[in-house]
Amino acid sequence: MTTHTDPLDIVRHYHQRTKHRPERYAASLGYLDWASQPDPFRRFEGASAVDLPRPALRPAPTYDSLFAAAPDAAPLDADTVGRLLLHSLALSAWKQVGPGQSWSLRINPSSGALHPTEGYLISGTVPGLIDAPGVFHYAPFSHQLERRAALSDAQWAALAAGMPQPCLLMGLTSIHWREAWKYGERAWRYCQHDAGHAIGAIAVAARTLGWQARVLDSVADAELDRLLGTDQQTGPEAEHADCLILLSPAGSLTPAPGAEAWPARIPALDLLGTANTLSREHHPWPIIDAVADAVCKPGSVLAAQSLPRTDTSPDRGHSAEQIIRQRRSAVDMDGRSPIDRNSFYRLLGRTLPGAFVADALPWAPRVSLALMVHRVTDLAPGFYLLVREPAHEASLRKSLSDQFVWETPEGCPPDLPLFRLIDDDARRAAQTVSCQQAIASDGAFAVGMLAQFDAALDTGGARAYPRLFWETGLIGQVLYLEAEAAGLRGTGIGCFFDDMMHALMGLTDTAWQSLYHFTVGGPVEDARLQTLPPYAHLDSQ
């Protein structure tokens, strides 16, 4: 347990302590008490529930069209809310191996399929669905809204004052115990990745409806806890507030309320329902509690406005909703499937600010991408760098190895800030830094997400730390969907040797830190697994 008291010192101590290192990686795996594995579904027993519709998939809008322009905005009704949640936080399938051995998959991916992220909807009345304003917990197993608190019309009006109309608010929380059960101290990192994936999933689902998602970063964690009712939870299974997201028709952004406005907007809640117990026993992880408390302290994150990117890529005709629902994490790669160069460039361009997914985060990008290219058609294997924010380039040139050549690769679009650093066979390096996982070398390419670490903490304080992981998770969500659209598959890699990756890139300090890895390639399907529909358990009732 750390004895630090300054929030920034706690964050830096936690970050260094939770780096994977080859010499102690095996010892860090620990022992899993399978009898205490957490229930993946939080429910609030005694809360009234509202059934959400599960409408059929639509052929339009297409996935590629989402990046060209927003569709016409759907009205705020039961179908819109049902689709929003069905295509962001709902179940996507069940996997089964043998009788009685099954587990659920979700639209929003999760480290170890442990799903620490919980979603909340704060809404006024919705025709055909919600007859009075309230705070609702989303229950993915039953695809229902559980009413946690009633709001008066005046209270909802105060919350939504100055926001575009119509609008919805969505809150995200994390149950750290769900990840810590398996991953120990590093689990807090994975919870933040997952929050970023969920933000990305919500942004894409909203776009299919002609709506937009934007994190309201001015609300303090303590105020968000009050709004969601999680301030009343205690113990290892308590939820910790992550972020509040404004959803409104595309193009309707207005200035977000300042931090000083939120305390008066948020009413006292008379909470309904009791949270279910997730595990019979728990192992304490004091350092997770310490870092979770440290990042709640007041701070600031610089806001940014980015110009929309013009995407003129050919439309491949894939249904957006189909791509969203078929997304899976690859468990193995075939070691031979390539991605063509134009698809690779298109994929990278869609991670940049100005593309609608990235713009769900209101601050200037802090993450650029180190790429280990193995099988991109007509592109030399080697190490590449995508500079996602122009202001990153000078710092990266200063921090990275002086052996890198910084060349523009063949056929690269002029508006894509991609550089070839060195020609090389990067497969062995990709596997080694990814805790010896062959999935990183057997794909078409692998990614190490480099975050502007020191500058972010110096500017935003400890509060900036989780937001770096949210940004990497959001980028990962784009990579997942782009892989599906290209006929491939992606997977996030949370296990990597941090400082080995830094040494590979020539980093000698903490100006830049690798926070998340990813790979894209041709998947190898496990024939032992059977895939089942997500809501057959409801249809059979």
Side-chain angles (χ1 to χ4, degrees):
M1 172 64 184
T2 177
T3 57
H4 298 291
T5 57
D6 179 81
L8 269 176
D9 289 342
I10 293 171
V11 162
R12 289 185 178 277
H13 172 77
Y14 171 82
H15 187 72
Q16 291 299 320
R17 181 184 172 102
T18 56
K19 288 181 176 180
H20 277 319
R21 295 179 174 86
E23 67 273 13
R24 62 183 182 89
Y25 170 60
S28 72
L29 296 179
Y31 169 76
L32 294 182
D33 177 10
W34 290 101
S36 294
Q37 181 174 4
D39 187 332
F41 299 110
R42 165 133 286 175
R43 296 174 297 278
F44 287 94
E45 296 161 0
S48 62
V50 178
D51 292 330
L52 289 163
R54 289 181 283 124
L57 293 176
R58 301 175 298 172
T62 63
Y63 174 73
D64 287 320
S65 73
L66 300 182
F67 293 87
D72 292 338
L76 179 55
D77 58 17
D79 183 84
T80 293
V81 176
R83 287 185 189 276
L84 173 68
L85 289 164
L86 190 65
H87 298 140
S88 60
L89 304 181
L91 305 186
S92 59
W94 288 82
K95 290 291 185 180
Q96 180 171 297
V97 53
Q101 299 182 56
S102 62
W103 62 95
S104 63
L105 306 180
R106 300 195 197 179
I107 299 297
N108 55 312
S110 170
S111 305
L114 296 172
H115 296 289
T117 308
E118 296 291 330
Y120 289 80
L121 184 75
I122 305 97
S123 174
T125 58
V126 176
L129 185 69
I130 298 173
D131 58 6
V135 178
F136 301 87
H137 171 255
Y138 175 60
F141 180 82
S142 57
H143 193 50
Q144 291 177 316
L145 293 174
E146 299 176 317
R147 185 181 285 273
R148 291 285 287 131
L151 298 175
S152 68
D153 290 335
Q155 288 170 332
W156 167 247
L159 270 173
M163 296 180 186
Q165 297 299 321
C167 73
L168 298 166
L169 295 173
M170 286 187 69
L172 297 179
T173 69
S174 292
I175 302 175
H176 299 146
W177 166 245
R178 280 216 185 107
E179 292 286 336
W181 167 79
K182 182 175 182 180
Y183 295 115
E185 292 180 347
R186 196 172 169 105
W188 184 89
R189 292 186 176 207
Y190 298 158
C191 290
Q192 309 313 309
H193 290 152
D194 286 6
H197 278 292
I199 294 168
I202 291 166
V204 175
R207 183 75 163 192
T208 67
L209 298 162
W211 285 47
Q212 63 195 10
R214 186 82 160 178
V215 170
L216 296 177
D217 208 41
S218 58
V219 60
D221 294 68
E223 301 301 334
L224 183 53
D225 266 321
R226 284 206 301 121
L227 176 60
L228 303 181
T230 49
D231 62 330
Q232 303 299 308
Q233 298 181 12
T234 59
E237 296 183 1
E239 297 172 48
H240 296 257
D242 290 324
C243 65
L244 185 66
I245 302 169
L246 170 64
L247 296 157
S248 60
S252 61
L253 282 179
T254 57
E260 71 286 347
W262 286 106
R265 286 173 175 249
I266 298 173
L269 300 181
D270 184 10
L271 295 176
L272 307 170
T274 303
N276 62 318
T277 300
L278 304 180
S279 295
R280 69 178 190 181
E281 294 179 351
H282 308 87
H283 180 86
W285 297 102
I287 197 169
I288 291 180
D289 297 333
V291 73
D293 181 64
V295 301
C296 290
K297 303 305 179 185
S300 60
V301 178
L302 292 182
Q305 293 291 334
S306 52
L307 295 175
R309 285 183 56 82
T310 302
D311 193 320
T312 58
S313 305
D315 193 321
R316 292 165 288 192
H318 304 309
S319 159
E321 293 182 348
Q322 179 62 49
I323 292 294
I324 289 168
R325 294 206 61 80
Q326 76 181 43
R327 184 217 62 81
R328 303 285 187 270
S329 297
V331 295
D332 198 5
M333 298 292 188
D334 62 17
R336 61 179 185 274
S337 295
I339 185 172
D340 69 86
R341 190 174 69 188
N342 289 338
S343 294
F344 180 64
Y345 290 155
R346 170 169 46 193
L347 173 153
L348 294 179
R350 289 178 175 176
T351 72
L352 296 177
F356 74 90
V357 188
D359 284 351
L361 302 179
W363 53 82
R366 289 291 191 181
V367 176
S368 284
L369 306 184
L371 299 147
M372 291 162 273
V373 168
H374 313 315
R375 299 173 184 87
V376 177
T377 306
D378 296 325
L379 195 63
F383 292 83
Y384 292 72
L385 185 73
L386 180 70
V387 181
R388 292 184 60 250
E389 166 64 36
H392 293 178
E393 184 175 339
S395 175
L396 285 164
R397 284 181 179 268
K398 179 181 178 181
S399 294
L400 298 183
S401 169
D402 58 10
Q403 300 299 307
F404 293 154
V405 297
W406 294 81
E407 297 176 340
T408 300
E410 304 84 3
C412 186
D415 62 344
L416 185 67
L418 179 67
F419 298 92
R420 178 167 44 236
L421 301 179
I422 190 169
D423 289 343
D424 199 0
D425 184 341
R427 289 175 295 178
R428 183 169 183 176
Q431 178 174 342
T432 301
V433 300
S434 298
C435 297
Q436 297 294 345
Q437 296 175 88
I439 199 168
S441 59
D442 289 345
F445 65 94
V447 184
M449 302 188 195
L450 302 180
Q452 199 175 26
F453 191 79
D454 287 341
L457 297 186
D458 290 345
T459 301
R463 189 170 183 265
Y465 187 48
R467 285 152 179 78
L468 296 177
F469 289 99
W470 299 354
E471 189 174 339
T472 63
L474 182 142
I475 294 166
Q477 191 66 12
V478 176
L479 296 178
Y480 266 123
L481 296 175
E482 285 294 308
E484 295 288 340
L488 301 170
R489 190 143 283 174
T491 195
I493 301 176
C495 182
F496 56 89
F497 297 129
D498 306 55
D499 287 337
M500 186 181 290
M501 178 65 181
H502 300 150
L504 191 66
M505 301 303 295
L507 297 169
T508 58
D509 55 26
T510 55
W512 292 87
Q513 294 283 279
S514 189
L515 300 187
Y516 189 26
H517 284 210
F518 203 93
T519 186
V520 170
V524 176
E525 302 294 345
D526 190 337
R528 298 170 299 174
L529 299 181
Q530 182 181 5
T531 301
L532 304 175
Y535 287 107
H537 58 284
L538 300 183
D539 295 332
S540 62
Q541 294 177 357

